[in-house]
Amino acid sequence: MASGARAVSLAVAGLVAAPLAALALQSGLTLRAADGAALRFTVTQAALSALISCALAVPLARALMRRRFPGRGLLLTALGAPFLLPTVVAVLGIITVYGRSGWFSTAQGQPLPLYGLTGVLLANVFFNLSLATRILCQGWHRIPSEHLRLAASLNLPPWSRFRHVEAPMLRAFLPGALLAVFLICLNSFVIALTLGGGPGATTVELAIYQALRFDFDPGHAAALAMVQAGLASVAVLVAARFALPEPGAGLDLPAPPQRQGRLVDGLVIGAASVFLALPLAAVLIEGLPALASLPAQVWPAAGRSVATALASAALAVLAALPLSLAAARGSRWAELSAMWPMVASGLVLGTGWFLILRPLVRPEEVALPVTMLANALMALPFVTRMLLPEVRRLLLDYDRLARALGLRGLARLRYLTLPRLSRPLGLGAGIAAALSMGDLGTIALFADQTQATLPLVIQRLAGAYRMEAAAGAALVLVTLSFALFALFDLGGRHGAK
Amino acid sequence: MKILPALAFLATPALAEVPVLNVLTYDSFTAEWGPGPAIAKGFEATCACKVNYIAAGDGGAILSRLKMEGAGSEADVALGLDTSLVEAARATGLFAPIAAQPNTLPVPFADTEFQPYDWGWFAFVHLKSLENPPANFKALAASDLKIVIQDPRSSTPGLGLVMWVKAAYGDEAGSVWKDLADNIVTVTPGWDEAYGLFLKGEADMVLSYTTSPAYHLIAENDDTKTAALFDEGHYMQVEVAGKLKAAPNPELADAFLAYLAGTEAQSVIPTTNWMYPAQSAPLPQGFETLIQPAKSLLLSPTEAEALRQKAIEEWQAALAQ
């Protein structure tokens, strides 16, 4: 492992391990009987959500990558939007559409049975379908166009074409997509509880929240976080075992458009767009009326959120790049340490750091830097997931050439690595920025009233009956997150050519 | 990290020579629409000091923060714990005895360390158009009405409801919850999600406060909401403030608590926190339309602490099936 990657690896491990240790030192690690049930439900809902999201993402990504139509680029970027919604806003959007008094129930004349595992899965798929699709689109992008041309000239029937051309690529990209969705759903808390219909839908994250906020049993929270760490690590190792290196290399010539399956592709794209757009439309409709009369606190909070998000995205990308390069060269340690922050939610990291920093500084003085760092850490696993397949590919295609040419150091970074990775770097930075925009876990512990970020202000509004103003502020948040995401994503795609 | 020094500068109170009273409280108290700003302004006019609010998420977060900081806390006053948390707060040994202030709570409340500053009755809020609102938990359980409630493990109203059923039904509480299970649409992590679901029409009733309809009436000119009067009585939430033993400014803390009990501060409470004041202060127009429970239920802090774990387990066992 290069020394840069080693330093990043150590820093990440330290920044995650120190708060866990601080929590454990407070009250000693403990687990309880009720944790078993929470654990089972957490894994079940996360695994099902990952499977369903990815099963739907395969035809969607395939359709999007096979077709060329006006607005396709915009649609690809807009696909990121559900993932950017703060969970509370997304849940309310979903309820507006699918709830007991929602659009569907009203149109159908009877209430849909939303609450329960159905609702949890629906919300998780709504959230993550777009993420899985974007990861798989990268995969389709990586199928050498020679293979597609060959398949076309041999007139391969769809099944053979899938088996010989697309299946190998899916084998490389699908485990990463499944893993990303699984890991996100592992931390699910608001979705699982609000749509789950009762305490049976308790996730480990709720148990952590309870341990930190109500029982003040930091050791219990640390033990639960470590159980989640174990789960996440197993998932990472299993995914790594199934993923195979991709075959072959291409010259990036454009593939010929295909005639087969146009109707099916059109239907898939249409249905997915409606599924994803309806709750977004609900958020828009609810938020618009309140936009004109938003409380003054919203705007400075929005500024702080954007600044924190930009810094988090930069940090996350700076850490993910060396780790992915080292991981692609075979360092399992680098790959695992990039996944490490998955062990801890913002709440766990925040509380641990609070305990460490409290004797040294006033928490308010470090509120935004700590939030920025925590958000960068939380985004690191996803950014690394985005980068890793592409970095592997880059090494496979160009490593020998670069060595032969003696291209190294900054020159290699500038002329080879960055241009070839611009697409996943943009997507990764966009996702990191968006994740940071929606975060509530860390900032809530550190900020005083002059430093609130936008999600915190939304929570305060909603907590004071001002649901309309909260919806308006949520719309501002979504718009800003989406703008940041689109900026990075389009920038990355632009830089790729 | 260039922004760090700049932030530190911003966070340091500018007026170093004026004493600063630090009040640790929950988020919504300090919001521009909450009671915090007016109370700070009013107190500052009397004390030649500056009030600085340290905002933690909610009542539970205040207590965790105090436990984390221990005697090293720079807070002088902690404001926003409720009776279900008082015993746990007392057990930290961080609170100092305070001068007793009279209060006008519907049930006697006296505590040597905690002073009530507002209170409310928990109640199920519904639209006035709801036909035959239930008059007790059993009628509710027998009906087809749909309700949204909060999780007692993450929300103080959720915990209040569990205590309400426990205070009204004792050992029968478990079976009452079993009967209620099919009325519960869902359980949310916090009050705001539940209330949001109710406003969207996802449920006929939501667990909130008898004073909730006053918000809609006074702030939104909307008189379509009311609360159901239960004949078992209504459980109360009493919010309290206390002085820290390690308070850097103990005299200021005492003065602040006295100000908090006065008419000026108390008259701010009804239309900012949407609760009843703890002292007889004039109520704004609109409050007279609210339901008035004949019977108030409140477990003492020690009883509440002793019952909490068991009551939550009963609730969980009845609903998890």
Side-chain angles (χ1 to χ4, degrees), chain A residues 95-96 100-101 115 193-194 202 212-213 286 297 358 449 460 465, chain B residues 27 32 53 60 64 69 72 74 153 186-187 197 200-202 212:
Chain A
I95 287 165
T96 310
R100 282 179 73 227
S101 313
Y115 300 93
L193 195 59
T194 307
T202 295
L212 287 178
R213 282 296 172 83
E286 309 242 321
Q297 284 191 347
R358 181 63 193 78
Q449 77 257 38
R460 285 177 188 170
Y465 293 98
Chain B
D27 258 343
E32 65 187 48
Y53 290 116
S64 342
E69 298 188 329
E74 61 188 2
R153 296 167 297 172
T186 194
V187 178
L197 290 187
K200 276 188 175 298
E202 289 299 288
S212 301

PDB file of all heavy atoms in Angstrom, chain A residues 95-96 100-101 115 193-194 202 212-213 286 297 358 449 460 465, chain B residues 27 32 53 60 64 69 72 74 153 186-187 197 200-202 212:
ATOM      1  N   ILE A  95     -45.980   8.965   1.734  1.00  0.00           N
ATOM      2  CA  ILE A  95     -47.300   8.844   2.345  1.00  0.00           C
ATOM      3  C   ILE A  95     -48.343   9.643   1.559  1.00  0.00           C
ATOM      4  O   ILE A  95     -49.481   9.216   1.386  1.00  0.00           O
ATOM      5  CB  ILE A  95     -47.233   9.280   3.821  1.00  0.00           C
ATOM      6  CG1 ILE A  95     -46.508   8.193   4.607  1.00  0.00           C
ATOM      7  CG2 ILE A  95     -48.614   9.517   4.384  1.00  0.00           C
ATOM      8  CD1 ILE A  95     -46.051   8.605   5.967  1.00  0.00           C
ATOM      9  N   THR A  96     -47.936  10.821   1.051  1.00  0.00           N
ATOM     10  CA  THR A  96     -48.857  11.611   0.234  1.00  0.00           C
ATOM     11  C   THR A  96     -49.323  10.808  -0.983  1.00  0.00           C
ATOM     12  O   THR A  96     -50.457  10.927  -1.420  1.00  0.00           O
ATOM     13  CB  THR A  96     -48.178  12.900  -0.250  1.00  0.00           C
ATOM     14  OG1 THR A  96     -47.580  13.540   0.862  1.00  0.00           O
ATOM     15  CG2 THR A  96     -49.159  13.834  -0.908  1.00  0.00           C
ATOM     16  N   ARG A 100     -52.818   6.047   3.413  1.00  0.00           N
ATOM     17  CA  ARG A 100     -54.238   5.719   3.539  1.00  0.00           C
ATOM     18  C   ARG A 100     -55.125   6.768   2.884  1.00  0.00           C
ATOM     19  O   ARG A 100     -56.180   6.472   2.360  1.00  0.00           O
ATOM     20  CB  ARG A 100     -54.625   5.602   5.017  1.00  0.00           C
ATOM     21  CG  ARG A 100     -54.207   4.313   5.667  1.00  0.00           C
ATOM     22  CD  ARG A 100     -54.625   4.339   7.126  1.00  0.00           C
ATOM     23  NE  ARG A 100     -56.068   4.169   7.270  1.00  0.00           N
ATOM     24  CZ  ARG A 100     -56.835   4.920   8.044  1.00  0.00           C
ATOM     25  NH1 ARG A 100     -56.317   5.892   8.743  1.00  0.00           N
ATOM     26  NH2 ARG A 100     -58.123   4.701   8.121  1.00  0.00           N
ATOM     27  N   SER A 101     -54.684   8.048   2.954  1.00  0.00           N
ATOM     28  CA  SER A 101     -55.463   9.107   2.299  1.00  0.00           C
ATOM     29  C   SER A 101     -54.687   9.645   1.108  1.00  0.00           C
ATOM     30  O   SER A 101     -54.896  10.758   0.676  1.00  0.00           O
ATOM     31  CB  SER A 101     -55.733  10.250   3.268  1.00  0.00           C
ATOM     32  OG  SER A 101     -56.184   9.749   4.488  1.00  0.00           O
ATOM     33  N   TYR A 115     -48.603   0.500   5.731  1.00  0.00           N
ATOM     34  CA  TYR A 115     -47.748   0.358   6.911  1.00  0.00           C
ATOM     35  C   TYR A 115     -47.430  -1.095   7.204  1.00  0.00           C
ATOM     36  O   TYR A 115     -48.304  -1.947   7.187  1.00  0.00           O
ATOM     37  CB  TYR A 115     -48.405   1.041   8.113  1.00  0.00           C
ATOM     38  CG  TYR A 115     -48.627   2.510   7.839  1.00  0.00           C
ATOM     39  CD1 TYR A 115     -49.824   2.964   7.313  1.00  0.00           C
ATOM     40  CD2 TYR A 115     -47.596   3.413   8.039  1.00  0.00           C
ATOM     41  CE1 TYR A 115     -50.008   4.304   7.015  1.00  0.00           C
ATOM     42  CE2 TYR A 115     -47.770   4.746   7.750  1.00  0.00           C
ATOM     43  CZ  TYR A 115     -48.976   5.197   7.245  1.00  0.00           C
ATOM     44  OH  TYR A 115     -49.151   6.511   6.948  1.00  0.00           O
ATOM     45  N   LEU A 193     -39.190   2.737  11.226  1.00  0.00           N
ATOM     46  CA  LEU A 193     -40.134   2.904  12.322  1.00  0.00           C
ATOM     47  C   LEU A 193     -41.436   3.544  11.861  1.00  0.00           C
ATOM     48  O   LEU A 193     -42.522   3.066  12.169  1.00  0.00           O
ATOM     49  CB  LEU A 193     -39.503   3.725  13.441  1.00  0.00           C
ATOM     50  CG  LEU A 193     -40.267   3.647  14.758  1.00  0.00           C
ATOM     51  CD1 LEU A 193     -40.347   2.217  15.244  1.00  0.00           C
ATOM     52  CD2 LEU A 193     -39.599   4.488  15.807  1.00  0.00           C
ATOM     53  N   THR A 194     -41.334   4.631  11.066  1.00  0.00           N
ATOM     54  CA  THR A 194     -42.545   5.358  10.685  1.00  0.00           C
ATOM     55  C   THR A 194     -43.443   4.518   9.782  1.00  0.00           C
ATOM     56  O   THR A 194     -44.659   4.526   9.927  1.00  0.00           O
ATOM     57  CB  THR A 194     -42.171   6.670   9.976  1.00  0.00           C
ATOM     58  OG1 THR A 194     -41.266   7.376  10.810  1.00  0.00           O
ATOM     59  CG2 THR A 194     -43.382   7.522   9.730  1.00  0.00           C
ATOM     60  N   THR A 202     -38.422  -2.422  14.707  1.00  0.00           N
ATOM     61  CA  THR A 202     -37.324  -1.706  15.348  1.00  0.00           C
ATOM     62  C   THR A 202     -35.997  -2.094  14.705  1.00  0.00           C
ATOM     63  O   THR A 202     -35.715  -3.268  14.551  1.00  0.00           O
ATOM     64  CB  THR A 202     -37.269  -2.070  16.842  1.00  0.00           C
ATOM     65  OG1 THR A 202     -38.453  -1.604  17.464  1.00  0.00           O
ATOM     66  CG2 THR A 202     -36.068  -1.430  17.511  1.00  0.00           C
ATOM     67  N   LEU A 212     -28.457   6.202  23.434  1.00  0.00           N
ATOM     68  CA  LEU A 212     -27.726   7.461  23.609  1.00  0.00           C
ATOM     69  C   LEU A 212     -28.610   8.565  24.153  1.00  0.00           C
ATOM     70  O   LEU A 212     -28.176   9.384  24.955  1.00  0.00           O
ATOM     71  CB  LEU A 212     -27.118   7.901  22.275  1.00  0.00           C
ATOM     72  CG  LEU A 212     -25.917   7.079  21.828  1.00  0.00           C
ATOM     73  CD1 LEU A 212     -25.434   7.565  20.478  1.00  0.00           C
ATOM     74  CD2 LEU A 212     -24.796   7.173  22.850  1.00  0.00           C
ATOM     75  N   ARG A 213     -29.868   8.624  23.696  1.00  0.00           N
ATOM     76  CA  ARG A 213     -30.703   9.761  24.027  1.00  0.00           C
ATOM     77  C   ARG A 213     -31.549   9.565  25.267  1.00  0.00           C
ATOM     78  O   ARG A 213     -31.812  10.494  26.003  1.00  0.00           O
ATOM     79  CB  ARG A 213     -31.624  10.091  22.850  1.00  0.00           C
ATOM     80  CG  ARG A 213     -30.945  10.843  21.740  1.00  0.00           C
ATOM     81  CD  ARG A 213     -30.489  12.200  22.233  1.00  0.00           C
ATOM     82  NE  ARG A 213     -29.668  12.890  21.279  1.00  0.00           N
ATOM     83  CZ  ARG A 213     -30.140  13.604  20.270  1.00  0.00           C
ATOM     84  NH1 ARG A 213     -31.424  13.703  20.078  1.00  0.00           N
ATOM     85  NH2 ARG A 213     -29.325  14.213  19.455  1.00  0.00           N
ATOM     86  N   GLU A 286     -46.284  20.344  -1.833  1.00  0.00           N
ATOM     87  CA  GLU A 286     -46.461  20.747  -0.432  1.00  0.00           C
ATOM     88  C   GLU A 286     -45.576  21.937  -0.068  1.00  0.00           C
ATOM     89  O   GLU A 286     -45.958  22.780   0.740  1.00  0.00           O
ATOM     90  CB  GLU A 286     -46.071  19.602   0.494  1.00  0.00           C
ATOM     91  CG  GLU A 286     -46.733  18.312   0.141  1.00  0.00           C
ATOM     92  CD  GLU A 286     -47.613  17.803   1.246  1.00  0.00           C
ATOM     93  OE1 GLU A 286     -47.215  17.929   2.408  1.00  0.00           O
ATOM     94  OE2 GLU A 286     -48.696  17.304   0.915  1.00  0.00           O
ATOM     95  N   GLN A 297     -34.505  32.284   9.626  1.00  0.00           N
ATOM     96  CA  GLN A 297     -33.441  31.331   9.984  1.00  0.00           C
ATOM     97  C   GLN A 297     -33.052  30.404   8.832  1.00  0.00           C
ATOM     98  O   GLN A 297     -31.959  29.867   8.819  1.00  0.00           O
ATOM     99  CB  GLN A 297     -33.924  30.432  11.132  1.00  0.00           C
ATOM    100  CG  GLN A 297     -33.932  31.107  12.468  1.00  0.00           C
ATOM    101  CD  GLN A 297     -34.157  30.096  13.592  1.00  0.00           C
ATOM    102  OE1 GLN A 297     -34.528  28.960  13.354  1.00  0.00           O
ATOM    103  NE2 GLN A 297     -33.908  30.526  14.818  1.00  0.00           N
ATOM    104  N   ARG A 358     -15.031  17.369  24.394  1.00  0.00           N
ATOM    105  CA  ARG A 358     -15.660  18.193  25.413  1.00  0.00           C
ATOM    106  C   ARG A 358     -14.668  18.788  26.416  1.00  0.00           C
ATOM    107  O   ARG A 358     -14.736  19.976  26.726  1.00  0.00           O
ATOM    108  CB  ARG A 358     -16.750  17.380  26.113  1.00  0.00           C
ATOM    109  CG  ARG A 358     -17.512  18.118  27.186  1.00  0.00           C
ATOM    110  CD  ARG A 358     -18.263  19.295  26.596  1.00  0.00           C
ATOM    111  NE  ARG A 358     -18.744  20.173  27.654  1.00  0.00           N
ATOM    112  CZ  ARG A 358     -17.988  21.035  28.292  1.00  0.00           C
ATOM    113  NH1 ARG A 358     -16.720  21.130  27.989  1.00  0.00           N
ATOM    114  NH2 ARG A 358     -18.500  21.805  29.228  1.00  0.00           N
ATOM    115  N   GLN A 449     -27.734  27.712  18.837  1.00  0.00           N
ATOM    116  CA  GLN A 449     -28.813  28.145  17.949  1.00  0.00           C
ATOM    117  C   GLN A 449     -28.324  28.990  16.773  1.00  0.00           C
ATOM    118  O   GLN A 449     -29.036  29.183  15.816  1.00  0.00           O
ATOM    119  CB  GLN A 449     -29.922  28.872  18.711  1.00  0.00           C
ATOM    120  CG  GLN A 449     -29.622  30.278  19.108  1.00  0.00           C
ATOM    121  CD  GLN A 449     -29.271  30.362  20.580  1.00  0.00           C
ATOM    122  OE1 GLN A 449     -28.612  29.503  21.134  1.00  0.00           O
ATOM    123  NE2 GLN A 449     -29.715  31.413  21.230  1.00  0.00           N
ATOM    124  N   ARG A 460     -36.825  21.738  13.766  1.00  0.00           N
ATOM    125  CA  ARG A 460     -37.377  22.685  14.744  1.00  0.00           C
ATOM    126  C   ARG A 460     -38.740  23.204  14.307  1.00  0.00           C
ATOM    127  O   ARG A 460     -39.644  23.359  15.116  1.00  0.00           O
ATOM    128  CB  ARG A 460     -36.425  23.872  14.914  1.00  0.00           C
ATOM    129  CG  ARG A 460     -35.204  23.518  15.717  1.00  0.00           C
ATOM    130  CD  ARG A 460     -34.269  24.692  15.803  1.00  0.00           C
ATOM    131  NE  ARG A 460     -33.016  24.299  16.417  1.00  0.00           N
ATOM    132  CZ  ARG A 460     -31.935  25.067  16.455  1.00  0.00           C
ATOM    133  NH1 ARG A 460     -31.955  26.260  15.903  1.00  0.00           N
ATOM    134  NH2 ARG A 460     -30.846  24.637  17.032  1.00  0.00           N
ATOM    135  N   TYR A 465     -45.274  22.665  15.336  1.00  0.00           N
ATOM    136  CA  TYR A 465     -46.524  22.671  14.571  1.00  0.00           C
ATOM    137  C   TYR A 465     -46.387  23.290  13.181  1.00  0.00           C
ATOM    138  O   TYR A 465     -47.332  23.306  12.426  1.00  0.00           O
ATOM    139  CB  TYR A 465     -47.642  23.444  15.296  1.00  0.00           C
ATOM    140  CG  TYR A 465     -48.138  22.815  16.565  1.00  0.00           C
ATOM    141  CD1 TYR A 465     -47.675  23.249  17.788  1.00  0.00           C
ATOM    142  CD2 TYR A 465     -49.092  21.804  16.523  1.00  0.00           C
ATOM    143  CE1 TYR A 465     -48.147  22.688  18.959  1.00  0.00           C
ATOM    144  CE2 TYR A 465     -49.567  21.242  17.691  1.00  0.00           C
ATOM    145  CZ  TYR A 465     -49.105  21.680  18.912  1.00  0.00           C
ATOM    146  OH  TYR A 465     -49.569  21.123  20.053  1.00  0.00           O
TER     147      TYR A 465
ATOM    148  N   ASP B  27     -34.051  22.242  21.580  1.00  0.00           N
ATOM    149  CA  ASP B  27     -34.040  23.034  20.357  1.00  0.00           C
ATOM    150  C   ASP B  27     -35.202  23.996  20.204  1.00  0.00           C
ATOM    151  O   ASP B  27     -35.014  25.181  19.948  1.00  0.00           O
ATOM    152  CB  ASP B  27     -34.111  22.076  19.163  1.00  0.00           C
ATOM    153  CG  ASP B  27     -32.754  21.914  18.524  1.00  0.00           C
ATOM    154  OD1 ASP B  27     -31.887  22.756  18.791  1.00  0.00           O
ATOM    155  OD2 ASP B  27     -32.589  20.953  17.772  1.00  0.00           O
ATOM    156  N   GLU B  32     -36.711  30.927  16.905  1.00  0.00           N
ATOM    157  CA  GLU B  32     -37.201  32.315  16.891  1.00  0.00           C
ATOM    158  C   GLU B  32     -38.692  32.400  17.192  1.00  0.00           C
ATOM    159  O   GLU B  32     -39.183  33.413  17.645  1.00  0.00           O
ATOM    160  CB  GLU B  32     -36.861  32.987  15.548  1.00  0.00           C
ATOM    161  CG  GLU B  32     -37.564  32.366  14.354  1.00  0.00           C
ATOM    162  CD  GLU B  32     -37.090  32.934  13.009  1.00  0.00           C
ATOM    163  OE1 GLU B  32     -35.875  33.013  12.812  1.00  0.00           O
ATOM    164  OE2 GLU B  32     -37.932  33.285  12.175  1.00  0.00           O
ATOM    165  N   TYR B  53     -28.362  30.449  25.221  1.00  0.00           N
ATOM    166  CA  TYR B  53     -28.988  29.136  25.210  1.00  0.00           C
ATOM    167  C   TYR B  53     -28.065  28.135  24.554  1.00  0.00           C
ATOM    168  O   TYR B  53     -27.511  28.389  23.490  1.00  0.00           O
ATOM    169  CB  TYR B  53     -30.308  29.171  24.432  1.00  0.00           C
ATOM    170  CG  TYR B  53     -31.403  29.932  25.126  1.00  0.00           C
ATOM    171  CD1 TYR B  53     -31.937  31.086  24.565  1.00  0.00           C
ATOM    172  CD2 TYR B  53     -31.907  29.495  26.347  1.00  0.00           C
ATOM    173  CE1 TYR B  53     -32.950  31.794  25.200  1.00  0.00           C
ATOM    174  CE2 TYR B  53     -32.921  30.192  26.985  1.00  0.00           C
ATOM    175  CZ  TYR B  53     -33.434  31.344  26.411  1.00  0.00           C
ATOM    176  OH  TYR B  53     -34.433  32.028  27.041  1.00  0.00           O
ATOM    177  N   GLY B  60     -34.710  14.377  26.327  1.00  0.00           N
ATOM    178  CA  GLY B  60     -33.787  13.264  26.508  1.00  0.00           C
ATOM    179  C   GLY B  60     -32.353  13.670  26.214  1.00  0.00           C
ATOM    180  O   GLY B  60     -31.416  13.270  26.914  1.00  0.00           O
ATOM    181  N   SER B  64     -28.882  13.445  28.439  1.00  0.00           N
ATOM    182  CA  SER B  64     -27.646  12.758  28.016  1.00  0.00           C
ATOM    183  C   SER B  64     -26.480  13.720  28.012  1.00  0.00           C
ATOM    184  O   SER B  64     -25.363  13.357  28.355  1.00  0.00           O
ATOM    185  CB  SER B  64     -27.718  12.138  26.628  1.00  0.00           C
ATOM    186  OG  SER B  64     -28.964  11.975  26.177  1.00  0.00           O
ATOM    187  N   GLU B  69     -21.339  15.540  30.208  1.00  0.00           N
ATOM    188  CA  GLU B  69     -20.473  16.627  30.656  1.00  0.00           C
ATOM    189  C   GLU B  69     -20.175  16.551  32.143  1.00  0.00           C
ATOM    190  O   GLU B  69     -19.169  17.078  32.601  1.00  0.00           O
ATOM    191  CB  GLU B  69     -21.115  17.981  30.337  1.00  0.00           C
ATOM    192  CG  GLU B  69     -21.296  18.179  28.849  1.00  0.00           C
ATOM    193  CD  GLU B  69     -21.740  19.585  28.503  1.00  0.00           C
ATOM    194  OE1 GLU B  69     -22.441  20.206  29.318  1.00  0.00           O
ATOM    195  OE2 GLU B  69     -21.375  20.039  27.427  1.00  0.00           O
ATOM    196  N   GLY B  72     -18.389  19.092  34.716  1.00  0.00           N
ATOM    197  CA  GLY B  72     -17.636  20.011  33.858  1.00  0.00           C
ATOM    198  C   GLY B  72     -18.538  20.862  32.984  1.00  0.00           C
ATOM    199  O   GLY B  72     -18.057  21.694  32.216  1.00  0.00           O
ATOM    200  N   GLU B  74     -20.716  23.743  31.499  1.00  0.00           N
ATOM    201  CA  GLU B  74     -20.696  25.181  31.754  1.00  0.00           C
ATOM    202  C   GLU B  74     -22.107  25.738  31.934  1.00  0.00           C
ATOM    203  O   GLU B  74     -22.289  26.941  32.134  1.00  0.00           O
ATOM    204  CB  GLU B  74     -19.981  25.904  30.618  1.00  0.00           C
ATOM    205  CG  GLU B  74     -20.663  25.719  29.283  1.00  0.00           C
ATOM    206  CD  GLU B  74     -19.816  26.289  28.154  1.00  0.00           C
ATOM    207  OE1 GLU B  74     -18.705  26.769  28.457  1.00  0.00           O
ATOM    208  OE2 GLU B  74     -20.269  26.260  27.004  1.00  0.00           O
ATOM    209  N   ARG B 153     -39.633   4.830  23.351  1.00  0.00           N
ATOM    210  CA  ARG B 153     -38.187   4.694  23.490  1.00  0.00           C
ATOM    211  C   ARG B 153     -37.433   5.864  22.889  1.00  0.00           C
ATOM    212  O   ARG B 153     -36.231   5.990  23.051  1.00  0.00           O
ATOM    213  CB  ARG B 153     -37.731   3.384  22.831  1.00  0.00           C
ATOM    214  CG  ARG B 153     -38.305   2.158  23.524  1.00  0.00           C
ATOM    215  CD  ARG B 153     -38.101   0.930  22.693  1.00  0.00           C
ATOM    216  NE  ARG B 153     -38.812   1.016  21.416  1.00  0.00           N
ATOM    217  CZ  ARG B 153     -38.668   0.133  20.437  1.00  0.00           C
ATOM    218  NH1 ARG B 153     -37.851  -0.870  20.569  1.00  0.00           N
ATOM    219  NH2 ARG B 153     -39.353   0.276  19.325  1.00  0.00           N
ATOM    220  N   THR B 186     -49.456   3.411  12.868  1.00  0.00           N
ATOM    221  CA  THR B 186     -48.015   3.258  12.975  1.00  0.00           C
ATOM    222  C   THR B 186     -47.501   4.009  14.190  1.00  0.00           C
ATOM    223  O   THR B 186     -48.225   4.788  14.810  1.00  0.00           O
ATOM    224  CB  THR B 186     -47.298   3.709  11.685  1.00  0.00           C
ATOM    225  OG1 THR B 186     -45.949   3.230  11.711  1.00  0.00           O
ATOM    226  CG2 THR B 186     -47.284   5.215  11.543  1.00  0.00           C
ATOM    227  N   VAL B 187     -46.254   3.724  14.504  1.00  0.00           N
ATOM    228  CA  VAL B 187     -45.588   4.332  15.649  1.00  0.00           C
ATOM    229  C   VAL B 187     -44.411   5.131  15.098  1.00  0.00           C
ATOM    230  O   VAL B 187     -43.606   4.587  14.362  1.00  0.00           O
ATOM    231  CB  VAL B 187     -45.064   3.221  16.586  1.00  0.00           C
ATOM    232  CG1 VAL B 187     -44.323   3.826  17.753  1.00  0.00           C
ATOM    233  CG2 VAL B 187     -46.204   2.350  17.069  1.00  0.00           C
ATOM    234  N   LEU B 197     -48.341  13.053  10.031  1.00  0.00           N
ATOM    235  CA  LEU B 197     -49.193  12.001   9.451  1.00  0.00           C
ATOM    236  C   LEU B 197     -50.659  12.310   9.690  1.00  0.00           C
ATOM    237  O   LEU B 197     -51.497  12.144   8.807  1.00  0.00           O
ATOM    238  CB  LEU B 197     -48.863  10.636  10.068  1.00  0.00           C
ATOM    239  CG  LEU B 197     -47.527  10.006   9.711  1.00  0.00           C
ATOM    240  CD1 LEU B 197     -47.445   8.592  10.259  1.00  0.00           C
ATOM    241  CD2 LEU B 197     -47.349   9.975   8.215  1.00  0.00           C
ATOM    242  N   LYS B 200     -51.928  14.950   7.446  1.00  0.00           N
ATOM    243  CA  LYS B 200     -52.086  14.445   6.086  1.00  0.00           C
ATOM    244  C   LYS B 200     -53.298  13.539   5.946  1.00  0.00           C
ATOM    245  O   LYS B 200     -53.562  13.026   4.863  1.00  0.00           O
ATOM    246  CB  LYS B 200     -50.848  13.646   5.690  1.00  0.00           C
ATOM    247  CG  LYS B 200     -49.728  14.507   5.184  1.00  0.00           C
ATOM    248  CD  LYS B 200     -48.631  13.630   4.643  1.00  0.00           C
ATOM    249  CE  LYS B 200     -47.548  14.467   4.029  1.00  0.00           C
ATOM    250  NZ  LYS B 200     -48.033  15.249   2.902  1.00  0.00           N
ATOM    251  N   GLY B 201     -53.970  13.249   7.060  1.00  0.00           N
ATOM    252  CA  GLY B 201     -55.160  12.413   6.978  1.00  0.00           C
ATOM    253  C   GLY B 201     -54.877  10.928   7.051  1.00  0.00           C
ATOM    254  O   GLY B 201     -55.710  10.102   6.678  1.00  0.00           O
ATOM    255  N   GLU B 202     -53.695  10.555   7.542  1.00  0.00           N
ATOM    256  CA  GLU B 202     -53.371   9.138   7.636  1.00  0.00           C
ATOM    257  C   GLU B 202     -54.046   8.460   8.827  1.00  0.00           C
ATOM    258  O   GLU B 202     -54.050   7.247   8.914  1.00  0.00           O
ATOM    259  CB  GLU B 202     -51.850   8.946   7.751  1.00  0.00           C
ATOM    260  CG  GLU B 202     -51.122   9.249   6.466  1.00  0.00           C
ATOM    261  CD  GLU B 202     -51.566   8.325   5.347  1.00  0.00           C
ATOM    262  OE1 GLU B 202     -51.228   7.138   5.360  1.00  0.00           O
ATOM    263  OE2 GLU B 202     -52.280   8.813   4.453  1.00  0.00           O
ATOM    264  N   SER B 212     -53.052  21.483  21.618  1.00  0.00           N
ATOM    265  CA  SER B 212     -52.719  21.524  20.192  1.00  0.00           C
ATOM    266  C   SER B 212     -53.753  22.276  19.353  1.00  0.00           C
ATOM    267  O   SER B 212     -53.384  23.066  18.478  1.00  0.00           O
ATOM    268  CB  SER B 212     -52.535  20.109  19.643  1.00  0.00           C
ATOM    269  OG  SER B 212     -51.513  19.438  20.333  1.00  0.00           O
TER     270      SER B 212
END
